[in-house]
Amino acid sequence: RKEVEQDPGPFNVPEGATVAFNCTYSNSASQSFFWYRQDCRKEPKLLMSVYSSGNEDGRFTAQLNRASQYISLLIRDSKLSDSATYLCAVNPRNRKLIWGLGTSLAVNP
Amino acid sequence: GAGVSQSPSNKVTEKGKDVELRCDPISGHTALYWYRQSLGQGLEFLIYFQGNSAPDKSGLPSDRFSAERTGGSVSTLTIQRTQQEDSAVYLCASSRTGAENQPQHFGDGTRLSIL
């Protein structure tokens, strides 16, 4: 089993839709979690850190489920500009982030 | 600087040549990471520097790859005797400290093409 797993997608959704991605991790001692977005042929950019209590930033909501060992990202009212690959990153306490392969999202007009 | 700066943006070279890639992290960031990413693939960890500690070189794919970080700031990744399979985007990231709750911030990357 990979340390961090994501559904590669692609997820195709219409504008205005709500879409959610999950990212599962295998190391139960992991403490830090992040969501990044990566546009085609660009570098990953931090979208948000994921806090134990869950956190929201505008249309984006991140949650952590420690019992089932996954984090989630919810995007409400999808925009065309949300089309990208969404990467999750998990730190299993050895100071080296473990990256998922990403979930591809395409928001269609 | 305001962000992580990498140079060159693009590098095309012939198989067998040596290349040097440079990374200038965000000012004040003590942790620096090198990754590479092939087209359509995930991030592959190469090496990690934290302050004055010995670097974590566990991701370097072969002894043709080396990196140094002088003065705790700028880092250079060197690939000797390049091979076609070295073609990829090489990404550098920095974080404020090496603490696990610190996110990494990426540079634009160097797109390396080996002919």
Side-chain angles (χ1 to χ4, degrees), chain B residues 5-39:
Chain B
S5 177
Q6 290 189 245
S7 62
S9 299
N10 290 280
K11 178 72 176 179
V12 181
T13 193
E14 293 179 346
K15 176 182 171 182
K17 300 286 189 183
D18 297 351
V19 295
E20 276 192 0
L21 312 179
R22 176 189 168 102
C23 173
D24 199 344
I26 293 173
S27 179
H29 280 199
T30 63
L32 186 149
Y33 309 80
W34 282 100
Y35 296 89
R36 73 177 176 183
Q37 189 174 34
S38 299
L39 191 62

Side-chain angles (χ1 to χ4, degrees), chain A residues 89-105:
Chain A
V90 176
N91 193 320
R93 307 206 80 172
N94 66 354
R95 300 184 176 182
K96 191 169 70 184
L97 283 180
I98 307 298
W99 294 83
L101 295 181
T103 296
S104 176
L105 171 66

Side-chain angles (χ1 to χ4, degrees), chain A residues 31-34 36 38 41-46 49 87 91-97 99-101, chain B residues 33 35 37 39 42-43 45 48 50 56 58 91 98-108 111:
Chain A
Q31 294 295 320
S32 300
F33 309 89
F34 307 93
Y36 284 74
Q38 185 172 27
R41 301 175 74 84
K42 296 285 191 180
E43 78 279 14
K45 292 186 177 177
L46 179 67
S49 302
L87 305 173
N91 193 320
R93 307 206 80 172
N94 66 354
R95 300 184 176 182
K96 191 169 70 184
L97 283 180
W99 294 83
L101 295 181
Chain B
Y33 309 80
Y35 296 89
Q37 189 174 34
L39 191 62
L43 290 170
F45 167 77
Y48 159 57
Q50 169 52 40
D56 176 351
S58 60
L91 291 160
E100 61 195 31
N101 64 347
Q102 293 294 312
Q104 296 175 19
H105 302 275
F106 287 82
D108 293 343
R111 192 171 304 278

Side-chain angles (χ1 to χ4, degrees), chain B residues 24 40 73 92 115:
Chain B
D24 199 344
S73 182
C92 176
L115 302 178

